[in-house]
Amino acid sequence: MALTIAIHSYKGGSGKTSFAINLASAYASVGKSVCLLDVDLKAPSSFNYLLPESKHWVNDIFEGRYGVMDVVKDVSKEMGTKGAFYIGYSNPDILAVREVSSKDRKWQSKALKLLMAAKKDLSNAGIDVVILDTGAGVDFTSVNAIAVADHVISVGRPGVSRQRLMEQIIGGVYMPLDKDCYIIENMCHSDNPTDLSGKKFDLPVLASIPCMCDVAVRGDNEVLVLTEPYHIFSKKIYDIMESLDKITS
Amino acid sequence: MTDNSSTEEMIRLLREISGKLDRILIQGSADKESDDGILDVLDVMTLLTLPDHLRTTATALFELGSATADELAEKTNKERAVESNYLNQLVRMGHVAKNRNGRKVYFSIGEGLGK
Ligand SMILES: Nc1ncnc2c1ncn2[C@@H]1O[C@H](COP(=O)(O)OP(=O)(O)OP(=O)(O)O)[C@@H](O)[C@H]1O
Ligand SMILES: [Mg+2]
């Protein structure tokens, strides 16, 4: 089975998408066959329009219109990665976003089944790593993806208030769904040393990534892991990949 | 109290009653929905509210799609009889559908009864 990782956070803007793009690129750059899916149907990121366009949408998977392999597109040539690099986008058209936001529970239940099936299809197609970039907070689009994943990486900004929220989501969502979870502290600052691991659960913190203008400014136009592998940010991502390899092997 | 202010007071009270009636009507229609069985749909939020043992069974069934009690027991590493008991509990709760195919009984996540 493909290693499936959901990238999640309780609050928005913690750096999930930046992290997801770079982690997926890191895996592809070392020759792993990767699939990166934007499952944030309510606020599609289109991966900042950084990566090449594709014909179909991740929405089509949830609707049962297309299989996952018809939706994803291999961008390894454009990105210059050694391994295959499949990408699937959520439809950013406002009509599609509005439609998703009004789906009922029955649709969401079917969506979960279809996403489970998609994971199987990706494994059968020889994908090694599936990365699901989820929306923030607790709603169907994020929790369905968490339910499908083997591992959850929760990306959060450090701070006392966020620590309590982190404990809530670990105890109320990740643990009941029986997931292996890890924490990435992002946008860390020396003024704010409170870590996120949560005394109650004591989850492994895979990395603390400093707050860096480069990530914010250059992140819109390049994938740092690929364009500057020796950047502090890129090195952190490669370290995380190695830690994950150790944990999962 | 002048006539004017008591009229105003009456109007205020009537508005308050009208608002309460509106809320009761809204509440009533929500109850009706659950009678139709919409609450039986097993979505991921409902999954989270299940007791641990049933949640494990239901999650495994989501992954397998459709399965016999034997197949499910193999996946969850539990006794077949135990798993069969859990599955039937989920059937009674309306979350799981049960279908016979020849001599085998297959379980799958239900479609819900509502709309
Ligand atoms: N370590 C960092 N240092 C500085 N800026 C960062 C860092 N990580 C991410 N950012 C920036 O923070 C902003 C939010 O990041 P991103 O879009 O990845 O967050 P997100 O969690 O995916 O947000 P959303 O919840 O809206 O999906 C972006 O502008 C990104 O470039
Ligand atoms: Mg995002």
Side-chain angles (χ1 to χ4, degrees):
Chain A
M1 262 301 200
L3 172 71
T4 307
I5 306 171
I7 315 293
H8 183 245
S9 69
Y10 202 169
K11 301 291 276 180
S14 64
K16 290 179 294 299
T17 300
S18 320
F19 175 71
I21 295 173
N22 280 278
L23 184 66
S25 303
Y27 272 116
S29 76
V30 298
K32 288 268 169 72
S33 201
V34 179
C35 178
L36 171 63
L37 295 180
D38 175 13
V39 291
D40 190 356
L41 301 176
K42 287 192 183 170
S45 60
S46 301
F47 303 120
N48 307 336
Y49 302 97
L50 205 62
L51 307 165
E53 297 257 321
S54 145
K55 267 208 311 276
H56 296 308
W57 305 108
V58 165
N59 309 53
D60 296 325
I61 303 172
F62 288 95
E63 292 281 4
R65 273 195 292 260
Y66 290 102
V68 63
M69 292 315 290
D70 299 319
V71 166
V72 295
K73 186 183 167 178
D74 185 3
V75 298
S76 53
K77 263 208 196 98
E78 291 93 331
M79 303 306 286
T81 56
K82 208 155 90 188
F85 191 177
Y86 290 93
I87 302 254
Y89 302 96
S90 288
N91 191 346
D93 189 297
I94 190 62
L95 291 180
V97 175
R98 270 167 35 190
E99 197 184 323
V100 166
S101 300
S102 61
K103 292 298 186 190
D104 62 10
R105 295 172 52 237
K106 193 169 169 176
W107 186 90
Q108 296 293 357
S109 171
K110 214 177 262 172
L112 178 55
K113 285 185 214 171
L114 288 163
L115 197 56
M116 293 264 186
K119 177 182 167 183
K120 254 182 236 166
D121 290 348
L122 288 167
S123 294
N124 293 336
I127 304 287
D128 303 311
V129 185
V130 178
I131 295 183
L132 304 171
D133 180 21
T134 75
V138 179
D139 82 351
F140 281 107
T141 52
S142 58
V143 183
N144 272 346
I146 290 167
V148 167
D150 311 307
H151 304 277
V152 180
I153 294 184
S154 200
V155 181
R157 297 166 66 174
V160 183
S161 60
R162 296 188 184 94
Q163 191 176 45
R164 204 169 304 146
L165 297 177
M166 186 69 100
E167 280 182 357
Q168 287 281 320
I169 199 138
I170 295 168
V173 178
Y174 305 160
M175 291 296 181
L177 290 174
D178 216 13
K179 300 300 159 189
D180 293 321
C181 357
Y182 314 96
I183 290 169
I184 304 281
E185 294 172 340
N186 191 25
M187 304 190 210
C188 300
H189 198 272
S190 51
D191 287 350
N192 206 346
T194 318
D195 73 58
L196 283 176
S197 59
K199 291 181 198 80
K200 218 154 123 201
F201 297 102
D202 203 25
L203 295 181
V205 176
L206 291 185
S208 298
I209 304 175
C211 195
M212 286 170 284
C213 280
D214 260 5
V215 180
V217 176
R218 293 169 60 189
D220 269 353
N221 309 303
E222 53 187 300
V223 180
L224 278 178
V225 151
L226 300 177
T227 54
E228 204 181 320
Y230 293 103
H231 194 282
I232 303 172
F233 179 79
S234 308
K235 279 202 261 181
K236 288 276 183 190
I237 302 285
Y238 279 110
D239 285 349
I240 293 164
M241 188 178 77
E242 265 173 40
S243 309
L244 283 171
D245 279 348
K246 266 187 216 138
I247 293 165
T248 56
S249 67
Chain B
M1 216 187 250
T2 66
D3 261 5
N4 234 347
S5 73
S6 67
T7 311
E8 267 171 29
E9 174 66 6
M10 200 136 88
I11 290 175
R12 195 190 62 76
L13 282 171
L14 282 170
R15 287 220 172 100
E16 202 178 301
I17 292 169
S18 165
K20 278 185 182 156
L21 282 172
D22 281 349
R23 282 194 293 280
I24 288 168
L25 284 173
I26 293 166
Q27 210 66 45
S29 67
D31 284 349
K32 192 161 161 291
E33 260 183 0
S34 70
D35 286 348
D36 290 340
I38 287 169
L39 290 182
D40 294 338
V41 181
L42 189 54
D43 59 85
V44 79
M45 299 302 170
T46 312
L47 198 65
L48 283 172
T49 64
L50 293 177
D52 287 349
H53 58 289
L54 292 183
R55 192 170 52 242
T56 308
T57 300
T59 308
L61 195 54
F62 257 115
E63 274 173 45
L64 292 174
S66 165
T68 63
D70 275 317
E71 289 163 344
L72 214 89
E74 197 176 318
K75 178 145 182 90
T76 57
N77 286 318
K78 284 183 188 146
E79 290 289 322
R80 185 199 172 279
V82 173
E83 218 39 275
S84 172
N85 179 13
Y86 293 167
L87 282 165
N88 282 305
Q89 271 186 56
L90 287 164
V91 171
R92 283 194 296 279
M93 293 166 89
H95 295 324
V96 163
K98 191 173 176 177
N99 290 298
R100 189 173 286 280
N101 189 344
R103 286 178 52 213
K104 285 192 168 171
V105 175
Y106 286 90
F107 296 89
S108 58
I109 300 294
E111 304 269 293
L113 305 166
K115 46 177 176 177

